Amino acid sequence: MTEIDREGPVPPYRQIAAILRDRIATGEIPPGRRIPSLVELEAEFAVARDTLRKAVQVLKDEGLVETVTGMGIYVRTPDGT
Amino acid sequence: MTEIDREGPVPPYRQIAAILRDRIATGEIPPGRRIPSLVELEAEFAVARDTLRKAVQVLKDEGLVETVTGMGIYVRTPDGT
DNA sequence: ATCCATTTGTGCGTATGTATC
DNA sequence: AGATACATACGCACAAATGGA
């Protein structure tokens, strides 16, 4: 369980986005691989789906990940995919 | 078609769980027997599969039923199975 | 061995309502 | 009023297991 600071000024969805962004940057989650499902992330961060959706949306807007309906959310590779 | 109250405070998935729990308790659906499939329940209660999934999850947590992929949802017997 | 229909399992996308700050 | 968060519900797509033709 990863702790989220609910007191500070940074909303949970931004904190989670930052954490996932870091995991991608460090290669902990390499390109082409799927990131944990919303259900798993829900358990890890103890937040609602809605919050996770927003966090993922941030990464999608940054072009770091892309979602595939019925499959999951994948880390984008430098080139295609 | 069994009616579900969508006005009250009790969410549909809890109402459905209660209905199925009652059918099991009264013996209407005896131990070892299969419960109607999700498709059939979908028709009976006019709700989405996601809602039924949650209702079934409640009964699974209570140890009343168990699911078998490709087969169905079965009422557990006091002893095994 | 193959194919297909059935059934549950697992994902995400979207929408609505409520509550809090 | 607006942003954030949570719970619930519905829809759609794909995967895996089972059983029968």
mmCIF file of all heavy atoms in Angstrom, chain B residues 39-77:
data_model
loop_
_atom_site.group_PDB
_atom_site.id
_atom_site.type_symbol
_atom_site.label_atom_id
_atom_site.label_comp_id
_atom_site.label_asym_id
_atom_site.label_seq_id
_atom_site.Cartn_x
_atom_site.Cartn_y
_atom_site.Cartn_z
ATOM 1 N N VAL B 39 -26.723 -13.985 -18.031
ATOM 2 C CA VAL B 39 -27.581 -13.523 -19.125
ATOM 3 C C VAL B 39 -29.052 -13.597 -18.711
ATOM 4 O O VAL B 39 -29.835 -12.688 -18.990
ATOM 5 C CB VAL B 39 -27.360 -14.376 -20.393
ATOM 6 C CG1 VAL B 39 -28.358 -13.986 -21.472
ATOM 7 C CG2 VAL B 39 -25.938 -14.190 -20.899
ATOM 8 N N GLU B 40 -29.408 -14.686 -18.020
ATOM 9 C CA GLU B 40 -30.805 -14.836 -17.582
ATOM 10 C C GLU B 40 -31.151 -13.827 -16.494
ATOM 11 O O GLU B 40 -32.233 -13.239 -16.490
ATOM 12 C CB GLU B 40 -31.030 -16.264 -17.068
ATOM 13 C CG GLU B 40 -30.923 -17.313 -18.163
ATOM 14 C CD GLU B 40 -30.966 -18.729 -17.614
ATOM 15 O OE1 GLU B 40 -30.199 -19.046 -16.677
ATOM 16 O OE2 GLU B 40 -31.758 -19.530 -18.140
ATOM 17 N N LEU B 41 -30.207 -13.646 -15.578
ATOM 18 C CA LEU B 41 -30.443 -12.688 -14.502
ATOM 19 C C LEU B 41 -30.544 -11.273 -15.073
ATOM 20 O O LEU B 41 -31.307 -10.438 -14.583
ATOM 21 C CB LEU B 41 -29.310 -12.760 -13.473
ATOM 22 C CG LEU B 41 -29.223 -14.062 -12.674
ATOM 23 C CD1 LEU B 41 -27.993 -14.059 -11.787
ATOM 24 C CD2 LEU B 41 -30.483 -14.246 -11.826
ATOM 25 N N GLU B 42 -29.766 -11.066 -16.105
ATOM 26 C CA GLU B 42 -29.781 -9.766 -16.774
ATOM 27 C C GLU B 42 -31.201 -9.476 -17.266
ATOM 28 O O GLU B 42 -31.693 -8.358 -17.155
ATOM 29 C CB GLU B 42 -28.809 -9.816 -17.956
ATOM 30 C CG GLU B 42 -28.196 -8.491 -18.310
ATOM 31 C CD GLU B 42 -27.067 -8.637 -19.317
ATOM 32 O OE1 GLU B 42 -26.779 -9.769 -19.747
ATOM 33 O OE2 GLU B 42 -26.473 -7.610 -19.664
ATOM 34 N N ALA B 43 -31.832 -10.510 -17.809
ATOM 35 C CA ALA B 43 -33.185 -10.358 -18.338
ATOM 36 C C ALA B 43 -34.199 -10.214 -17.213
ATOM 37 O O ALA B 43 -35.123 -9.406 -17.293
ATOM 38 C CB ALA B 43 -33.538 -11.557 -19.211
ATOM 39 N N GLU B 44 -34.013 -10.986 -16.152
ATOM 40 C CA GLU B 44 -34.977 -10.946 -15.055
ATOM 41 C C GLU B 44 -34.995 -9.611 -14.324
ATOM 42 O O GLU B 44 -36.055 -9.085 -14.007
ATOM 43 C CB GLU B 44 -34.698 -12.059 -14.043
ATOM 44 C CG GLU B 44 -35.617 -11.957 -12.829
ATOM 45 C CD GLU B 44 -35.395 -13.076 -11.819
ATOM 46 O OE1 GLU B 44 -34.498 -13.903 -12.043
ATOM 47 O OE2 GLU B 44 -36.139 -13.104 -10.824
ATOM 48 N N PHE B 45 -33.819 -9.087 -14.061
ATOM 49 C CA PHE B 45 -33.749 -7.859 -13.266
ATOM 50 C C PHE B 45 -33.528 -6.602 -14.096
ATOM 51 O O PHE B 45 -33.582 -5.484 -13.569
ATOM 52 C CB PHE B 45 -32.632 -7.980 -12.230
ATOM 53 C CG PHE B 45 -32.868 -9.066 -11.217
ATOM 54 C CD1 PHE B 45 -32.132 -10.233 -11.243
ATOM 55 C CD2 PHE B 45 -33.865 -8.924 -10.253
ATOM 56 C CE1 PHE B 45 -32.346 -11.248 -10.311
ATOM 57 C CE2 PHE B 45 -34.087 -9.927 -9.313
ATOM 58 C CZ PHE B 45 -33.329 -11.088 -9.348
ATOM 59 N N ALA B 46 -33.268 -6.786 -15.367
ATOM 60 C CA ALA B 46 -33.049 -5.637 -16.247
ATOM 61 C C ALA B 46 -31.950 -4.731 -15.720
ATOM 62 O O ALA B 46 -32.127 -3.524 -15.580
ATOM 63 C CB ALA B 46 -34.355 -4.869 -16.428
ATOM 64 N N VAL B 47 -30.817 -5.334 -15.423
ATOM 65 C CA VAL B 47 -29.664 -4.558 -14.977
ATOM 66 C C VAL B 47 -28.444 -4.991 -15.795
ATOM 67 O O VAL B 47 -28.512 -5.966 -16.534
ATOM 68 C CB VAL B 47 -29.358 -4.777 -13.482
ATOM 69 C CG1 VAL B 47 -30.515 -4.291 -12.626
ATOM 70 C CG2 VAL B 47 -29.072 -6.246 -13.219
ATOM 71 N N ALA B 48 -27.386 -4.267 -15.647
ATOM 72 C CA ALA B 48 -26.167 -4.586 -16.387
ATOM 73 C C ALA B 48 -25.426 -5.737 -15.724
ATOM 74 O O ALA B 48 -25.619 -6.023 -14.541
ATOM 75 C CB ALA B 48 -25.263 -3.361 -16.466
ATOM 76 N N ARG B 49 -24.566 -6.383 -16.495
ATOM 77 C CA ARG B 49 -23.810 -7.511 -15.952
ATOM 78 C C ARG B 49 -22.908 -7.075 -14.822
ATOM 79 O O ARG B 49 -22.644 -7.827 -13.893
ATOM 80 C CB ARG B 49 -22.990 -8.167 -17.062
ATOM 81 C CG ARG B 49 -23.804 -9.169 -17.822
ATOM 82 C CD ARG B 49 -22.962 -9.902 -18.821
ATOM 83 N NE ARG B 49 -21.745 -10.444 -18.235
ATOM 84 C CZ ARG B 49 -20.897 -11.199 -18.911
ATOM 85 N NH1 ARG B 49 -21.135 -11.484 -20.152
ATOM 86 N NH2 ARG B 49 -19.808 -11.651 -18.332
ATOM 87 N N ASP B 50 -22.423 -5.857 -14.937
ATOM 88 C CA ASP B 50 -21.553 -5.341 -13.897
ATOM 89 C C ASP B 50 -22.278 -5.331 -12.556
ATOM 90 O O ASP B 50 -21.696 -5.639 -11.510
ATOM 91 C CB ASP B 50 -21.119 -3.916 -14.249
ATOM 92 C CG ASP B 50 -20.162 -3.354 -13.219
ATOM 93 O OD1 ASP B 50 -19.010 -3.806 -13.179
ATOM 94 O OD2 ASP B 50 -20.584 -2.464 -12.460
ATOM 95 N N THR B 51 -23.538 -4.985 -12.596
ATOM 96 C CA THR B 51 -24.345 -4.937 -11.383
ATOM 97 C C THR B 51 -24.532 -6.343 -10.818
ATOM 98 O O THR B 51 -24.433 -6.554 -9.602
ATOM 99 C CB THR B 51 -25.719 -4.311 -11.683
ATOM 100 O OG1 THR B 51 -25.510 -3.037 -12.284
ATOM 101 C CG2 THR B 51 -26.540 -4.160 -10.414
ATOM 102 N N LEU B 52 -24.781 -7.300 -11.716
ATOM 103 C CA LEU B 52 -24.951 -8.683 -11.281
ATOM 104 C C LEU B 52 -23.645 -9.227 -10.726
ATOM 105 O O LEU B 52 -23.627 -9.967 -9.745
ATOM 106 C CB LEU B 52 -25.417 -9.543 -12.453
ATOM 107 C CG LEU B 52 -26.797 -9.199 -13.004
ATOM 108 C CD1 LEU B 52 -27.057 -9.987 -14.265
ATOM 109 C CD2 LEU B 52 -27.867 -9.485 -11.958
ATOM 110 N N ARG B 53 -22.570 -8.853 -11.353
ATOM 111 C CA ARG B 53 -21.261 -9.314 -10.909
ATOM 112 C C ARG B 53 -21.032 -8.900 -9.457
ATOM 113 O O ARG B 53 -20.535 -9.665 -8.651
ATOM 114 C CB ARG B 53 -20.185 -8.708 -11.813
ATOM 115 C CG ARG B 53 -18.895 -9.445 -11.782
ATOM 116 C CD ARG B 53 -17.838 -8.743 -12.632
ATOM 117 N NE ARG B 53 -16.734 -8.302 -11.823
ATOM 118 C CZ ARG B 53 -16.598 -7.086 -11.318
ATOM 119 N NH1 ARG B 53 -17.523 -6.169 -11.564
ATOM 120 N NH2 ARG B 53 -15.567 -6.769 -10.596
ATOM 121 N N LYS B 54 -21.422 -7.663 -9.165
ATOM 122 C CA LYS B 54 -21.255 -7.180 -7.793
ATOM 123 C C LYS B 54 -22.154 -7.931 -6.822
ATOM 124 O O LYS B 54 -21.753 -8.259 -5.705
ATOM 125 C CB LYS B 54 -21.549 -5.684 -7.717
ATOM 126 C CG LYS B 54 -20.431 -4.831 -8.277
ATOM 127 C CD LYS B 54 -20.837 -3.363 -8.330
ATOM 128 C CE LYS B 54 -19.748 -2.544 -9.021
ATOM 129 N NZ LYS B 54 -20.259 -1.234 -9.473
ATOM 130 N N ALA B 55 -23.371 -8.199 -7.265
ATOM 131 C CA ALA B 55 -24.312 -8.922 -6.408
ATOM 132 C C ALA B 55 -23.771 -10.321 -6.115
ATOM 133 O O ALA B 55 -23.793 -10.778 -4.969
ATOM 134 C CB ALA B 55 -25.681 -9.011 -7.084
ATOM 135 N N VAL B 56 -23.266 -10.986 -7.134
ATOM 136 C CA VAL B 56 -22.709 -12.332 -6.968
ATOM 137 C C VAL B 56 -21.475 -12.286 -6.072
ATOM 138 O O VAL B 56 -21.241 -13.190 -5.268
ATOM 139 C CB VAL B 56 -22.350 -12.946 -8.340
ATOM 140 C CG1 VAL B 56 -21.556 -14.233 -8.166
ATOM 141 C CG2 VAL B 56 -23.620 -13.217 -9.133
ATOM 142 N N GLN B 57 -20.697 -11.215 -6.223
ATOM 143 C CA GLN B 57 -19.495 -11.077 -5.410
ATOM 144 C C GLN B 57 -19.857 -11.031 -3.927
ATOM 145 O O GLN B 57 -19.151 -11.592 -3.086
ATOM 146 C CB GLN B 57 -18.736 -9.806 -5.809
ATOM 147 C CG GLN B 57 -17.409 -9.643 -5.097
ATOM 148 C CD GLN B 57 -16.469 -10.818 -5.353
ATOM 149 O OE1 GLN B 57 -16.232 -11.199 -6.490
ATOM 150 N NE2 GLN B 57 -15.950 -11.404 -4.284
ATOM 151 N N VAL B 58 -20.955 -10.385 -3.635
ATOM 152 C CA VAL B 58 -21.420 -10.308 -2.243
ATOM 153 C C VAL B 58 -21.692 -11.703 -1.702
ATOM 154 O O VAL B 58 -21.251 -12.053 -0.605
ATOM 155 C CB VAL B 58 -22.711 -9.457 -2.140
ATOM 156 C CG1 VAL B 58 -23.316 -9.565 -0.745
ATOM 157 C CG2 VAL B 58 -22.401 -8.001 -2.464
ATOM 158 N N LEU B 59 -22.393 -12.516 -2.512
ATOM 159 C CA LEU B 59 -22.725 -13.874 -2.084
ATOM 160 C C LEU B 59 -21.488 -14.760 -1.996
ATOM 161 O O LEU B 59 -21.414 -15.651 -1.156
ATOM 162 C CB LEU B 59 -23.747 -14.487 -3.051
ATOM 163 C CG LEU B 59 -25.071 -13.712 -3.170
ATOM 164 C CD1 LEU B 59 -26.001 -14.421 -4.140
ATOM 165 C CD2 LEU B 59 -25.730 -13.541 -1.816
ATOM 166 N N LYS B 60 -20.528 -14.500 -2.870
ATOM 167 C CA LYS B 60 -19.286 -15.271 -2.810
ATOM 168 C C LYS B 60 -18.537 -14.937 -1.524
ATOM 169 O O LYS B 60 -18.003 -15.827 -0.852
ATOM 170 C CB LYS B 60 -18.396 -14.964 -4.026
ATOM 171 C CG LYS B 60 -18.792 -15.743 -5.254
ATOM 172 C CD LYS B 60 -17.621 -15.963 -6.199
ATOM 173 C CE LYS B 60 -17.202 -14.680 -6.899
ATOM 174 N NZ LYS B 60 -16.226 -14.972 -8.004
ATOM 175 N N ASP B 61 -18.512 -13.663 -1.194
ATOM 176 C CA ASP B 61 -17.846 -13.237 0.039
ATOM 177 C C ASP B 61 -18.508 -13.867 1.264
ATOM 178 O O ASP B 61 -17.861 -14.116 2.277
ATOM 179 C CB ASP B 61 -17.864 -11.708 0.161
ATOM 180 C CG ASP B 61 -16.970 -11.043 -0.876
ATOM 181 O OD1 ASP B 61 -16.112 -11.753 -1.458
ATOM 182 O OD2 ASP B 61 -17.117 -9.842 -1.104
ATOM 183 N N GLU B 62 -19.800 -14.107 1.145
ATOM 184 C CA GLU B 62 -20.534 -14.704 2.255
ATOM 185 C C GLU B 62 -20.401 -16.229 2.249
ATOM 186 O O GLU B 62 -20.902 -16.903 3.137
ATOM 187 C CB GLU B 62 -22.021 -14.316 2.171
ATOM 188 C CG GLU B 62 -22.267 -12.816 2.358
ATOM 189 C CD GLU B 62 -23.720 -12.450 2.105
ATOM 190 O OE1 GLU B 62 -24.509 -13.329 1.685
ATOM 191 O OE2 GLU B 62 -24.080 -11.277 2.339
ATOM 192 N N GLY B 63 -19.765 -16.736 1.198
ATOM 193 C CA GLY B 63 -19.567 -18.171 1.113
ATOM 194 C C GLY B 63 -20.826 -18.935 0.724
ATOM 195 O O GLY B 63 -20.902 -20.144 0.925
ATOM 196 N N LEU B 64 -21.788 -18.253 0.175
ATOM 197 C CA LEU B 64 -23.048 -18.901 -0.201
ATOM 198 C C LEU B 64 -22.975 -19.575 -1.559
ATOM 199 O O LEU B 64 -23.633 -20.580 -1.799
ATOM 200 C CB LEU B 64 -24.192 -17.882 -0.196
ATOM 201 C CG LEU B 64 -24.676 -17.426 1.179
ATOM 202 C CD1 LEU B 64 -25.764 -16.374 1.021
ATOM 203 C CD2 LEU B 64 -25.207 -18.618 1.958
ATOM 204 N N VAL B 65 -22.188 -19.018 -2.451
ATOM 205 C CA VAL B 65 -22.075 -19.588 -3.795
ATOM 206 C C VAL B 65 -20.623 -19.620 -4.233
ATOM 207 O O VAL B 65 -19.753 -19.014 -3.599
ATOM 208 C CB VAL B 65 -22.877 -18.769 -4.828
ATOM 209 C CG1 VAL B 65 -24.327 -18.669 -4.416
ATOM 210 C CG2 VAL B 65 -22.263 -17.381 -4.979
ATOM 211 N N GLU B 66 -20.406 -20.352 -5.308
ATOM 212 C CA GLU B 66 -19.072 -20.340 -5.903
ATOM 213 C C GLU B 66 -19.237 -20.409 -7.406
ATOM 214 O O GLU B 66 -20.163 -21.034 -7.915
ATOM 215 C CB GLU B 66 -18.225 -21.499 -5.386
ATOM 216 C CG GLU B 66 -18.701 -22.864 -5.813
ATOM 217 C CD GLU B 66 -17.758 -23.955 -5.285
ATOM 218 O OE1 GLU B 66 -16.563 -23.660 -5.173
ATOM 219 O OE2 GLU B 66 -18.236 -25.057 -4.991
ATOM 220 N N THR B 67 -18.341 -19.758 -8.107
ATOM 221 C CA THR B 67 -18.469 -19.702 -9.561
ATOM 222 C C THR B 67 -17.462 -20.633 -10.227
ATOM 223 O O THR B 67 -16.386 -20.861 -9.717
ATOM 224 C CB THR B 67 -18.229 -18.268 -10.072
ATOM 225 O OG1 THR B 67 -16.909 -17.856 -9.678
ATOM 226 C CG2 THR B 67 -19.233 -17.316 -9.489
ATOM 227 N N VAL B 68 -17.863 -21.150 -11.350
ATOM 228 C CA VAL B 68 -16.992 -22.003 -12.148
ATOM 229 C C VAL B 68 -17.016 -21.471 -13.577
ATOM 230 O O VAL B 68 -18.057 -21.502 -14.241
ATOM 231 C CB VAL B 68 -17.472 -23.474 -12.146
ATOM 232 C CG1 VAL B 68 -16.523 -24.340 -12.952
ATOM 233 C CG2 VAL B 68 -17.594 -23.989 -10.719
ATOM 234 N N THR B 69 -15.859 -21.004 -14.015
ATOM 235 C CA THR B 69 -15.775 -20.451 -15.369
ATOM 236 C C THR B 69 -16.223 -21.474 -16.401
ATOM 237 O O THR B 69 -15.806 -22.621 -16.358
ATOM 238 C CB THR B 69 -14.333 -20.020 -15.671
ATOM 239 O OG1 THR B 69 -13.886 -19.124 -14.660
ATOM 240 C CG2 THR B 69 -14.243 -19.346 -17.029
ATOM 241 N N GLY B 70 -17.067 -21.037 -17.294
ATOM 242 C CA GLY B 70 -17.540 -21.923 -18.355
ATOM 243 C C GLY B 70 -18.689 -22.816 -17.950
ATOM 244 O O GLY B 70 -19.245 -23.537 -18.764
ATOM 245 N N MET B 71 -19.048 -22.774 -16.659
ATOM 246 C CA MET B 71 -20.124 -23.622 -16.162
ATOM 247 C C MET B 71 -21.263 -22.814 -15.573
ATOM 248 O O MET B 71 -22.393 -22.872 -16.034
ATOM 249 C CB MET B 71 -19.575 -24.580 -15.106
ATOM 250 C CG MET B 71 -18.633 -25.615 -15.658
ATOM 251 S SD MET B 71 -19.497 -26.769 -16.726
ATOM 252 C CE MET B 71 -20.358 -27.744 -15.482
ATOM 253 N N GLY B 72 -20.977 -22.090 -14.546
ATOM 254 C CA GLY B 72 -22.040 -21.316 -13.924
ATOM 255 C C GLY B 72 -21.736 -20.957 -12.488
ATOM 256 O O GLY B 72 -20.610 -21.091 -12.024
ATOM 257 N N ILE B 73 -22.788 -20.557 -11.790
ATOM 258 C CA ILE B 73 -22.660 -20.175 -10.387
ATOM 259 C C ILE B 73 -23.450 -21.181 -9.569
ATOM 260 O O ILE B 73 -24.632 -21.401 -9.822
ATOM 261 C CB ILE B 73 -23.227 -18.759 -10.156
ATOM 262 C CG1 ILE B 73 -22.568 -17.761 -11.115
ATOM 263 C CG2 ILE B 73 -23.041 -18.333 -8.711
ATOM 264 C CD1 ILE B 73 -23.268 -16.419 -11.169
ATOM 265 N N TYR B 74 -22.804 -21.810 -8.605
ATOM 266 C CA TYR B 74 -23.446 -22.885 -7.843
ATOM 267 C C TYR B 74 -23.624 -22.553 -6.363
ATOM 268 O O TYR B 74 -22.779 -21.896 -5.752
ATOM 269 C CB TYR B 74 -22.624 -24.164 -7.977
ATOM 270 C CG TYR B 74 -22.549 -24.656 -9.400
ATOM 271 C CD1 TYR B 74 -21.588 -24.152 -10.280
ATOM 272 C CD2 TYR B 74 -23.475 -25.579 -9.888
ATOM 273 C CE1 TYR B 74 -21.534 -24.573 -11.601
ATOM 274 C CE2 TYR B 74 -23.429 -26.012 -11.199
ATOM 275 C CZ TYR B 74 -22.456 -25.505 -12.056
ATOM 276 O OH TYR B 74 -22.419 -25.919 -13.359
ATOM 277 N N VAL B 75 -24.729 -23.038 -5.832
ATOM 278 C CA VAL B 75 -24.996 -22.870 -4.412
ATOM 279 C C VAL B 75 -24.142 -23.871 -3.656
ATOM 280 O O VAL B 75 -24.148 -25.060 -3.980
ATOM 281 C CB VAL B 75 -26.487 -23.136 -4.096
ATOM 282 C CG1 VAL B 75 -26.746 -22.979 -2.596
ATOM 283 C CG2 VAL B 75 -27.366 -22.178 -4.883
ATOM 284 N N ARG B 76 -23.400 -23.393 -2.705
ATOM 285 C CA ARG B 76 -22.503 -24.274 -1.957
ATOM 286 C C ARG B 76 -23.281 -25.170 -0.995
ATOM 287 O O ARG B 76 -24.315 -24.788 -0.449
ATOM 288 C CB ARG B 76 -21.497 -23.452 -1.156
ATOM 289 C CG ARG B 76 -20.617 -22.627 -2.047
ATOM 290 C CD ARG B 76 -19.515 -21.980 -1.261
ATOM 291 N NE ARG B 76 -18.486 -22.942 -0.863
ATOM 292 C CZ ARG B 76 -17.315 -22.605 -0.361
ATOM 293 N NH1 ARG B 76 -17.041 -21.333 -0.179
ATOM 294 N NH2 ARG B 76 -16.443 -23.506 -0.032
ATOM 295 N N THR B 77 -22.740 -26.370 -0.831
ATOM 296 C CA THR B 77 -23.348 -27.302 0.112
ATOM 297 C C THR B 77 -22.693 -27.063 1.469
ATOM 298 O O THR B 77 -21.603 -26.511 1.535
ATOM 299 C CB THR B 77 -23.094 -28.757 -0.328
ATOM 300 O OG1 THR B 77 -21.689 -28.946 -0.485
ATOM 301 C CG2 THR B 77 -23.793 -29.031 -1.635
#
